[in-house]
Amino acid sequence: MTLFTPRTEIEAARLVADLALTKKPVTIQGGATRAGLGRPNQTEATISTNRLTGITLHEPAELVISAKAGTPVAEVAAALDAKGQMLPFEPMDHRAIFGTTGEPTIGGVVAGNHSGPRRIQAGACRDSLIGVRLVNGRGEAVKSGGRVMKNVTGLDLAKLVTGSYGTLGLLTEVTFKVLPRPERALTLLIKNLDDARAVAALSAALGSPFEPSGAAHLPAGLSRPIPRTILRLEGFSVSLEYRIGQLRRLLADFGELIVLEGEDSRGLWRGVRDCEFLAEPTESALWRVSTAPTRAPQVTAAVAAAVPGARWFYDWGGGLVWLSLPPTADAGAATVRAAVASAGGHATLVRAPREIRAMVDVFQPLGPLTRVTGGIKTSFDPAGILEPGRMYAGM
Amino acid sequence: MSPNIFSIPETMIGFLIGFKPCDDPLVYACPNACDQNDAGTRETPNMTTIAFPAPDAGIIARRDEIVAGLAKLVAGEALITAEDELRPYESDALTAFRKVPLAVVLPSTTEEVAAVLRYCSAQGVPVIPRGSGTSLVGGATPQEDAVVIGVSKMNRILEIDYANRAARVQAGVTNLAITGAVMADGFFYAPDPSSQLACSIGGNIAMNSGGAHCLKYGVTTNNILGLKLVLHDGEIVEIGGDHLDMPGYDLLGLLIGSEGQLGIVTEATVRILRAAEGARPVLFGFPKPELAGAAVAAIIGAGIIPVAMEYMDKMAIAICEDFAKAGYPMDAEALLIIEVEGSEQEMDDQLVRIIEIAKKHGVTTIRESKSAMETAAIWKGRKSAFGATGKIADYICMDGTIPTGQLPYVLGRIDALVTRYGLRVANVFHAGDGNLHPLVLYDINDPVERQKAEDCGLDILRLCVEVGGCLTGEHGVGVEKRDLMPVQFGKADLDQQMRVRAVFDPAWLLNPAKVFPLEGRVAA
Ligand SMILES: Cc1cc2nc3c(=O)[nH]c(=O)nc-3n(C[C@H](O)[C@H](O)[C@H](O)COP(=O)(O)OP(=O)(O)OC[C@H]3O[C@@H](n4cnc5c(N)ncnc54)[C@H](O)[C@@H]3O)c2cc1C
């Protein structure tokens, strides 16, 4: 296994071109904190982005930041924080569930389209991403998008490569639009709702004019004995006071609203964002299911009926379900896939032992989209050297 | 829910969005919008600089056979072949380009779209997807050897799901009809192009259209959850659904903004949002454009993102005020329309902050809307900016985006450019996101001036790229900016885009003359 650490995009492009000539498959690595994502693949070489680092542009008045792919997320966050700004989509940090220790990189965030609780209000990573530079499997440096907020020039390859786990190219630089950090943030907590009632409460709040920026439900037994339904409000202080009052009225039927602020509030959302509640036991399998919110309780009920010991919680108003299942032979794949097939949506096996991830579909099977997906992969990487098999077997 | 509460006679559309059909050079190109005899006076040679590929003589020769083949696939009234009935489809809102297509098909179902595409694909006949024909860049311009597939008959709202905040609609439904269907329940569909009364959601998806309120709510691509798409060979695929983030590669992101080159969209699942409790636009008049620009930057810098921040220069103010009687300050050199939303108290609170900033930047007029009617007039003026301009002169509408910090510099350069060409310009734009719409005024009957206007427009776009921006922020590339693509992209960038395109359309039959320069095209 050879490790390459290019210092520039030109160097990276030359490297990939060489690997393509000799058809050497390659793994792409940022901080390696999320190396457990996807199907395990065998490659002869690894390209690390750990020397492709640094913020290349930050114009606070224009709400835009660019950084080389290997830049630690923490560095980007700190630069924004210093100007009272933030990444709108609240990227998940996978270290809690993988027990890894390195520094997550900004390129890794884009490679997995990792978004947190604020996704329901401010969009996903792909929505904030306004430009990328990458090296495709031919060793060509390619750019898409740019540094401006609105841009419809040509095909949007920036979105296409977001969430492609390195299979379409080695990201070298990414550009985001950012938002001002809210003046104040707080959590509204309702106790003791069952899943269906909780999702109904979250739907009512999300369908109100009061703009929650987080909407999650933690069933009983996740670090507290009772179920907790939580909403996050962010904005100017005066406005929050008003919205608390309105939501109290709107959600009166669901129970008392308790206001949490400061670390009590922040800690909860960090827990939701990083799936901390299901990090233990470390050997359990973790699934991430995206579905329409009102159908999420039906997914968890179907899984619970078939798999003793299943645990879960909901984010995105119910639309995102994190499921923890005992590490059985298929990590519950058959059950989860069947439940999602009937509810609509998709499921990803986020954490499971290597052998299981090699055997079951980790990402949602593509069905009729297999042909175009394969075609796109080939159009970027005709020699098939970039992370082969990482997302789909034989692709 | 009635899907038709917003349907209006097509003859009215042009008027409602600010055109008087037919006396307007940029006539609203919807079928039957005007008496075609009138069109003769507007007939002008095609833009000299932008070429279309020569029509395929083999296809033209087989016209009768192809028409007969199409007739077997769709109901009689869905197939248009008579010369005079084809005329309304000869262009979109970029009327400088006119080509009468071989035939027009207006299917009623996804299956019909699939059958027609499969047939055209097998016959090697080019296909031009069409929504309402409001594209400003020739995205829907046909060609003589092509079949136009229009989705305008597929205009039903299929499902509204408030609990999950999603609506499933057919591609031909108008943008405003979606909001119309959910408005009574307090919801809306966010992207609001000025053409929203007429343009289709399918066209919005193809162009990734934006609007005045996109500063807060994002553009089309941020508001679509799923698509039903017919591929070139007639295969019907679903992309995404009513959940967030599709699995696998982000084909939604790829399809949105692909300008009808990757397939025909027949259905979409869109996000619907709960409207704020109230919205209030405020007019801010400034003595200098630079001051308005600096105020915009300062507002954002203070952590305030209003729902909309729209800029107009003196010429645009005069034109729009004359049309809408909205109370725009006629003495100002620059106007900002800033809209805030929320409860009364929230709006007041935000406005206090915004006004304080505006005062630091020398604002001379501040006028808040005091009623729903005033609000409507303020937005009517802004949204009919193009139409109202069309009443006083012919114009070319440009659509570049620049980094907002470059605003004062770019306005100065545009001024200099326009003066050099001996032309006039009216500037309207989405100030919060740097999306410029300079309207270059000229006389369409003067070929020399017309060429100057085209050249000037293209120079303005080159300027946008030069300062770090792009050729188009929301209108798309179409034919108009096709040959400028190498200004923004290198060969490797364009090759990669074209290779992806070729995966969906290996024979380059879907909207083939658009987006990518005719030279140097590559296959997958
Ligand atoms: C007065 C005026 C104001 C405007 N204001 C704005 C504005 O504020 N913001 C903005 O973004 N745009 C604006 N536009 C431009 C235009 O309205 C948009 O580009 C709109 O989205 C086009 O929609 P349409 O249905 O008319 O599509 P068409 O003009 O018919 O087609 C546009 C493109 O979409 C493709 N297409 C259409 N339907 C489909 C389909 N079902 N499947 C695949 N491809 C398809 C066509 O091939 C073509 O390339 C304005 C235009 C006018 C005339």
Side-chain angles (χ1 to χ4, degrees):
Chain A
M1 169 69 81
T2 334
L3 177 72
F4 297 101
T5 54
R7 287 161 194 274
T8 62
E9 185 181 81
I10 295 172
E11 236 179 271
R14 244 181 249 139
L15 179 61
V16 175
D18 285 349
L19 292 167
L21 267 183
T22 51
K23 292 210 184 315
K24 267 211 184 99
V26 60
T27 299
I28 298 170
Q29 196 176 83
T33 64
R34 313 175 212 261
L37 287 172
R39 299 177 72 254
N41 56 3
Q42 239 131 41
T43 59
E44 294 165 43
T46 295
I47 302 179
S48 164
T49 58
N50 68 12
R51 285 182 166 163
L52 285 170
T53 57
I55 291 169
T56 46
L57 170 110
H58 183 197
E59 288 289 350
E62 295 176 7
L63 300 172
V64 56
I65 194 162
S66 306
K68 301 232 182 95
T71 312
V73 177
E75 189 178 323
V76 174
L80 290 172
D81 197 62
K83 300 290 178 191
Q85 299 179 335
M86 63 179 186
L87 287 172
F89 56 95
E90 238 183 329
M92 174 178 180
D93 183 337
H94 285 71
R95 285 176 292 192
I97 59 168
F98 287 130
T100 42
T101 49
E103 274 298 322
T105 64
I106 197 71
V109 168
V110 174
N113 190 25
H114 298 302
S115 319
R118 207 181 286 106
R119 195 256 174 270
I120 47 165
Q121 190 205 27
C125 172
R126 58 87 95 173
D127 295 294
S128 289
L129 185 82
I130 55 176
V132 291
R133 298 191 58 91
L134 60 92
V135 173
N136 67 12
R138 288 181 156 87
E140 298 165 341
V142 173
K143 69 168 179 300
S144 175
R147 55 158 297 194
V148 287
M149 300 290 146
K150 271 168 92 185
N151 186 344
V152 297
T153 325
L155 295 180
D156 193 346
L157 301 185
K159 288 204 175 50
L160 186 64
V161 301
T162 306
S164 66
Y165 288 89
T167 60
L168 299 181
L170 165 70
L171 295 169
T172 55
E173 189 178 351
V174 293
T175 302
F176 296 100
K177 58 178 174 187
V178 301
L179 280 179
R181 204 178 48 216
E183 180 181 283
R184 187 178 165 199
L186 53 82
T187 299
L188 302 176
L189 165 72
I190 309 176
K191 291 180 181 165
N192 292 320
L193 300 180
D194 66 27
D195 290 11
R197 283 285 285 165
V199 170
L202 297 178
S203 282
L206 290 169
S208 80
F210 311 115
E211 298 187 283
S213 70
H217 176 65
L218 310 169
L222 297 183
S223 82
R224 290 281 189 292
I226 56 153
R228 288 169 292 167
T229 306
I230 53 177
L231 289 162
R232 181 174 58 189
L233 295 180
E234 295 178 307
F236 291 111
S237 200
V238 204
S239 160
L240 294 197
E241 294 298 340
Y242 170 77
R243 289 193 261 157
I244 293 171
Q246 293 300 100
L247 283 166
R248 277 219 163 97
R249 214 161 305 152
L250 182 76
L251 301 177
D253 286 352
F254 294 95
E256 190 198 346
L257 252 59
I258 300 159
V259 180
L260 306 174
E261 264 197 272
E263 187 48 33
D264 288 349
S265 168
R266 277 194 298 276
L268 269 176
W269 294 104
R270 195 165 51 237
V272 171
R273 183 193 73 187
D274 298 343
C275 192
E276 282 172 10
F277 303 107
L278 300 176
E280 309 276 337
T282 51
E283 61 281 4
S284 71
L286 283 178
W287 287 87
R288 192 171 180 273
V289 175
S290 176
T291 187
T294 57
R295 295 197 294 273
Q298 152 197 338
V299 171
T300 52
V303 172
V307 185
R311 296 154 71 229
W312 61 85
F313 72 90
Y314 307 86
D315 191 4
W316 299 354
L320 175 65
V321 185
W322 281 99
L323 277 163
S324 159
L325 304 182
T328 53
D330 76 340
T335 311
V336 174
R337 297 252 173 251
V340 172
S342 87
H346 56 95
T348 307
L349 178 55
V350 173
R351 184 178 74 183
R354 226 183 133 81
E355 315 76 70
I356 299 181
R357 283 184 291 120
M359 196 186 70
V360 305
D361 288 318
V362 167
F363 293 95
Q364 183 72 25
L366 293 165
L369 296 177
T370 306
R371 189 174 48 132
V372 287
T373 304
I376 290 170
K377 165 72 176 163
T378 307
S379 80
F380 277 86
D381 178 23
I385 57 160
L386 299 174
E387 294 276 12
R390 179 76 179 242
M391 293 184 78
Y392 307 102
M395 199 186 275
Chain B
M1 199 72 47
S2 158
N4 277 327
I5 64 169
F6 264 71
S7 95
I8 41 155
E10 281 178 340
T11 40
M12 284 291 292
I13 291 174
F15 181 72
L16 286 171
I17 62 174
F19 299 84
K20 204 143 100 266
C22 285
D23 73 357
D24 190 304
L26 202 116
V27 67
Y28 191 68
C30 65
N32 314 324
C34 57
D35 173 0
Q36 289 309 316
N37 293 329
D38 234 30
T41 57
R42 291 177 291 116
E43 210 118 281
T44 42
N46 281 334
M47 282 186 181
T48 42
T49 41
I50 302 174
F52 268 75
D56 182 329
I59 294 174
I60 309 268
R62 284 192 292 131
R63 180 169 194 269
D64 292 346
E65 180 198 328
I66 293 165
V67 166
L70 292 170
K72 293 198 192 107
L73 305 174
V74 292
E77 68 274 13
L79 179 61
I80 298 171
T81 55
E83 168 90 23
D84 59 331
E85 289 172 39
L86 290 173
R87 281 274 162 210
Y89 297 91
E90 69 182 353
S91 80
D92 54 26
L94 184 68
T95 51
F97 297 93
R98 292 160 189 276
K99 308 260 170 193
V100 178
L102 193 92
V104 173
V105 188
L106 304 175
S108 302
T109 63
T110 301
E111 289 66 32
E112 278 184 354
V113 172
V116 174
L117 261 182
R118 192 178 307 120
Y119 176 78
C120 290
S121 206
Q123 298 290 321
V125 176
V127 165
I128 313 296
R130 184 179 177 103
S132 307
T134 68
S135 170
L136 290 167
V137 294
T141 312
Q143 52 194 56
E144 292 89 343
D145 56 357
V147 171
V148 170
I149 302 183
V151 296
S152 55
K153 281 195 180 162
M154 301 178 67
N155 60 358
R156 281 187 306 132
I157 294 193
L158 302 171
E159 203 181 321
I160 295 171
D161 179 354
Y162 290 118
N164 292 314
R165 300 168 297 284
R168 196 160 59 85
V169 305
Q170 290 185 320
V173 80
T174 63
N175 172 294
L176 196 60
I178 303 178
T179 292
V182 298
M183 196 167 60
D185 295 292
F187 281 75
F188 72 114
Y189 171 68
D192 61 336
S194 300
S195 52
Q196 65 188 144
L197 196 56
C199 62
S200 69
I201 190 72
N204 291 176
I205 288 166
M207 290 314 202
N208 190 13
S209 302
H213 293 78
C214 290
L215 185 56
K216 176 169 174 193
Y217 294 109
V219 295
T220 304
T221 193
N222 312 116
N223 288 280
I224 301 290
L225 297 170
L227 297 178
K228 187 180 272 188
L229 179 76
V230 184
L231 298 174
H232 77 100
D233 58 359
E235 186 182 353
I236 301 168
V237 294
E238 302 267 354
I239 293 178
D242 60 358
H243 48 272
L244 294 173
D245 299 340
M246 69 168 297
Y249 296 155
D250 187 355
L251 301 181
L252 273 180
L254 177 67
L255 253 302
I256 298 169
S258 63
E259 305 203 17
Q261 303 177 94
L262 305 186
I264 296 194
V265 174
T266 59
E267 278 179 27
T269 303
V270 307
R271 262 162 81 106
I272 49 172
L273 302 176
R274 179 65 190 260
E277 288 174 284
R280 204 189 302 159
V282 183
L283 302 174
F284 294 92
F286 291 87
K288 280 193 195 138
E290 302 83 273
L291 292 173
V296 167
I299 290 166
I300 289 173
I304 305 167
I305 309 283
V307 237
M309 282 204 267
E310 297 288 303
Y311 174 99
M312 288 188 199
D313 69 5
K314 195 172 182 69
M315 169 101 76
I317 296 170
I319 292 170
C320 295
E321 176 61 18
D322 187 49
F323 178 80
K325 310 278 181 279
Y328 295 164
M330 300 290 286
D331 58 341
E333 288 295 320
L335 168 70
L336 289 177
I337 305 174
I338 300 183
E339 185 161 270
V340 294
E341 44 173 50
S343 65
E344 288 299 318
Q345 191 198 346
E346 286 174 303
M347 291 191 288
D348 287 344
D349 178 59
Q350 272 202 48
L351 278 176
V352 167
R353 294 166 197 263
I354 292 171
I355 288 170
E356 195 177 315
I357 294 169
K359 282 187 174 151
K360 282 192 193 135
H361 292 87
V363 70
T364 41
T365 315
I366 301 175
R367 216 172 64 86
E368 278 182 46
S369 165
K370 296 271 183 267
S371 71
M373 265 174 64
E374 265 185 73
T375 297
I378 287 173
W379 280 116
K380 182 182 169 205
R382 168 58 187 90
K383 290 199 172 184
S384 54
F386 300 173
T389 304
K391 284 173 168 299
I392 63 150
D394 307 312
Y395 68 89
I396 298 184
C397 169
M398 292 291 125
D399 167 49
T401 309
I402 56 164
T404 48
Q406 300 286 335
L407 223 58
Y409 172 72
V410 169
L411 285 175
R413 287 272 307 267
I414 290 179
D415 225 38
L417 268 173
V418 172
T419 311
R420 204 178 74 211
Y421 279 102
L423 298 166
R424 291 177 307 157
V425 66
N427 279 297
V428 267
F429 55 81
H430 310 300
D433 40 33
N435 186 189
L436 312 182
H437 293 313
L439 305 174
V440 181
L441 311 186
Y442 69 104
D443 175 1
I444 204 164
N445 295 316
D446 175 347
V448 176
E449 190 167 297
R450 180 193 163 110
Q451 188 61 48
K452 277 188 193 165
E454 277 167 28
D455 293 345
C456 178
L458 299 182
D459 279 352
I460 291 174
L461 295 182
R462 284 192 192 94
L463 167 63
C464 291
V465 175
E466 180 195 314
V467 300
C470 65
L471 296 171
T472 168
E474 57 179 20
H475 294 168
V477 177
V479 279
E480 190 194 36
K481 297 159 201 163
R482 185 191 70 196
D483 296 340
L484 278 187
M485 287 290 271
V487 173
Q488 184 175 332
F489 293 111
K491 179 171 166 17
D493 310 333
L494 287 175
D495 283 357
Q496 185 60 63
Q497 291 185 35
M498 286 190 276
R499 286 190 198 109
V500 170
R501 188 198 188 287
V503 171
F504 289 80
D505 180 22
W508 282 75
L509 290 175
L510 282 167
N511 222 3
K514 317 294 167 63
V515 184
F516 298 103
L518 300 179
E519 300 287 312
R521 292 182 160 186
V522 299

Coordinates of all heavy atoms in Angstrom, one line a residue, chain A residues 199 203 291-296 316-319, chain B residues 159-167 187 225 242-244 269-272:
Chain A
V199 N -44.1 13.1 16.1 CA -43.9 13.6 14.7 C -45.1 14.5 14.4 O -44.8 15.5 13.7 CB -43.9 12.4 13.7 CG1 -44.0 12.8 12.3 CG2 -42.6 11.6 14.0
S203 N -44.4 18.2 13.0 CA -45.0 18.6 11.8 C -45.8 19.9 12.0 O -45.7 20.8 11.1 CB -46.0 17.6 11.2 OG -45.2 16.5 10.6
T291 N -37.0 9.4 5.0 CA -38.4 9.1 4.6 C -39.2 10.3 4.8 O -38.8 11.3 5.4 CB -38.9 7.8 5.3 OG1 -40.2 7.5 4.7 CG2 -39.1 8.1 6.8
A292 N -40.5 10.3 4.4 CA -41.4 11.4 4.7 C -41.7 11.3 6.2 O -42.0 10.2 6.7 CB -42.7 11.3 3.9
P293 N -41.6 12.4 6.9 CA -41.8 12.4 8.3 C -42.9 11.6 8.9 O -42.8 10.8 9.8 CB -41.9 13.9 8.7 CG -41.2 14.6 7.6 CD -41.4 13.8 6.4
T294 N -44.1 11.8 8.3 CA -45.3 11.1 8.9 C -45.2 9.6 8.7 O -45.9 8.9 9.4 CB -46.6 11.6 8.4 OG1 -46.6 11.4 6.9 CG2 -46.8 13.1 8.7
R295 N -44.4 9.1 7.8 CA -44.3 7.7 7.6 C -43.1 7.0 8.4 O -42.9 5.8 8.5 CB -44.2 7.3 6.2 CG -45.4 7.7 5.4 CD -45.5 7.0 4.0 NE -44.5 7.5 3.1 CZ -44.6 8.5 2.3 NH1 -45.7 9.3 2.3 NH2 -43.6 8.9 1.5
A296 N -42.3 7.9 9.1 CA -41.2 7.4 9.8 C -41.6 6.4 11.0 O -40.9 5.4 11.2 CB -40.3 8.5 10.4
W316 N -34.8 15.9 11.7 CA -35.5 16.4 10.5 C -37.0 16.3 10.6 O -37.7 15.9 9.6 CB -35.0 15.8 9.2 CG -33.5 16.0 8.9 CD1 -32.7 16.8 9.7 CD2 -32.8 15.4 7.9 NE1 -31.4 16.7 9.1 CE2 -31.5 15.9 8.0 CE3 -33.1 14.5 6.8 CZ2 -30.4 15.5 7.1 CZ3 -32.1 14.2 5.9 CH2 -30.8 14.6 6.1
G317 N -37.6 16.6 11.8 CA -39.0 16.5 11.9 C -39.6 15.1 11.8 O -40.8 14.9 11.7
G318 N -38.7 14.1 11.8 CA -39.2 12.7 11.6 C -38.6 12.2 10.3 O -38.5 10.9 10.2
G319 N -38.2 13.0 9.4 CA -37.7 12.6 8.1 C -36.4 11.9 8.1 O -36.0 11.2 7.1
Chain B
E159 N -51.1 16.1 -5.8 CA -51.2 15.8 -4.4 C -50.6 16.9 -3.6 O -49.6 17.4 -3.9 CB -50.4 14.5 -4.3 CG -50.7 13.6 -3.1 CD -49.7 12.4 -3.0 OE1 -49.4 11.9 -4.1 OE2 -49.3 12.1 -1.9
I160 N -51.3 17.2 -2.5 CA -50.8 18.2 -1.5 C -50.7 17.5 -0.2 O -51.7 17.0 0.3 CB -51.7 19.4 -1.5 CG1 -51.7 20.1 -2.9 CG2 -51.2 20.4 -0.4 CD1 -52.7 21.2 -3.0
D161 N -49.5 17.6 0.4 CA -49.3 16.9 1.7 C -48.7 17.9 2.7 O -47.5 18.1 2.7 CB -48.3 15.7 1.4 CG -48.0 14.9 2.7 OD1 -48.4 15.3 3.8 OD2 -47.3 13.9 2.6
Y162 N -49.6 18.5 3.5 CA -49.2 19.6 4.4 C -48.3 19.0 5.5 O -47.3 19.7 5.9 CB -50.4 20.3 4.9 CG -51.1 21.2 3.9 CD1 -52.4 21.0 3.6 CD2 -50.4 22.2 3.3 CE1 -53.0 21.7 2.6 CE2 -51.0 23.0 2.3 CZ -52.3 22.8 2.0 OH -53.0 23.5 1.1
A163 N -48.7 17.9 6.0 CA -47.9 17.4 7.2 C -46.4 17.1 6.8 O -45.5 17.4 7.6 CB -48.5 16.1 7.7
N164 N -46.2 16.7 5.5 CA -44.8 16.5 5.1 C -44.3 17.6 4.2 O -43.2 17.5 3.6 CB -44.7 15.1 4.3 CG -44.9 14.0 5.3 OD1 -44.4 13.9 6.4 ND2 -45.8 13.0 4.9
R165 N -45.1 18.7 4.1 CA -44.7 19.9 3.4 C -44.2 19.6 2.0 O -43.1 20.0 1.6 CB -43.7 20.6 4.2 CG -44.2 21.0 5.6 CD -43.1 21.5 6.6 NE -42.1 20.5 6.9 CZ -42.3 19.5 7.7 NH1 -43.5 19.3 8.3 NH2 -41.3 18.6 7.9
A166 N -45.0 18.9 1.2 CA -44.6 18.6 -0.1 C -45.9 18.6 -1.0 O -47.0 18.3 -0.6 CB -44.0 17.2 -0.2
A167 N -45.7 18.9 -2.3 CA -46.8 18.8 -3.3 C -46.3 18.1 -4.5 O -45.1 18.4 -5.0 CB -47.3 20.2 -3.6
F187 N -49.7 28.3 2.9 CA -48.5 27.8 2.4 C -48.1 28.4 1.1 O -48.9 29.1 0.5 CB -48.5 26.2 2.2 CG -48.3 25.5 3.5 CD1 -49.4 25.4 4.4 CD2 -47.2 24.8 3.8 CE1 -49.2 24.7 5.6 CE2 -47.0 24.1 5.0 CZ -48.1 24.1 5.9
L225 N -37.9 18.1 -4.3 CA -37.6 16.8 -3.7 C -37.5 15.6 -4.6 O -36.8 14.7 -4.4 CB -38.7 16.5 -2.6 CG -38.8 17.5 -1.5 CD1 -40.1 17.2 -0.6 CD2 -37.6 17.5 -0.6
D242 N -40.6 12.1 -1.9 CA -41.1 13.1 -1.0 C -40.3 13.2 0.3 O -40.7 13.8 1.3 CB -42.6 13.0 -0.7 CG -42.9 11.6 -0.1 OD1 -42.0 10.8 0.2 OD2 -44.1 11.4 0.2
H243 N -39.1 12.6 0.3 CA -38.2 12.7 1.4 C -37.0 13.6 1.0 O -36.8 14.0 -0.1 CB -37.7 11.3 1.7 CG -37.2 10.6 0.5 ND1 -38.0 9.8 -0.3 CD2 -36.0 10.5 -0.1 CE1 -37.3 9.3 -1.3 NE2 -36.1 9.7 -1.2
L244 N -36.1 13.9 2.0 CA -35.0 14.8 1.8 C -33.8 14.0 1.2 O -33.6 12.8 1.7 CB -34.6 15.5 3.0 CG -35.6 16.5 3.6 CD1 -35.2 17.0 4.9 CD2 -35.8 17.6 2.6
T269 N -42.0 16.7 -7.4 CA -42.5 16.9 -6.0 C -41.7 18.0 -5.4 O -40.5 18.0 -5.4 CB -42.2 15.6 -5.2 OG1 -42.8 14.5 -5.8 CG2 -42.7 15.7 -3.8
V270 N -42.5 19.1 -5.1 CA -41.8 20.3 -4.6 C -42.0 20.5 -3.1 O -43.0 20.0 -2.6 CB -42.4 21.6 -5.4 CG1 -42.3 21.4 -6.9 CG2 -43.8 21.9 -5.0
R271 N -41.1 21.2 -2.5 CA -41.3 21.6 -1.1 C -42.3 22.7 -1.0 O -42.1 23.7 -1.8 CB -40.0 22.1 -0.5 CG -39.2 21.0 0.3 CD -37.8 21.5 0.4 NE -37.6 22.4 1.5 CZ -37.0 22.1 2.6 NH1 -36.6 20.9 2.9 NH2 -36.9 23.0 3.6
I272 N -43.2 22.7 -0.2 CA -44.1 23.8 0.1 C -43.8 24.3 1.5 O -43.5 23.5 2.4 CB -45.6 23.6 -0.1 CG1 -46.0 22.3 0.6 CG2 -45.9 23.5 -1.6 CD1 -47.5 22.1 0.6

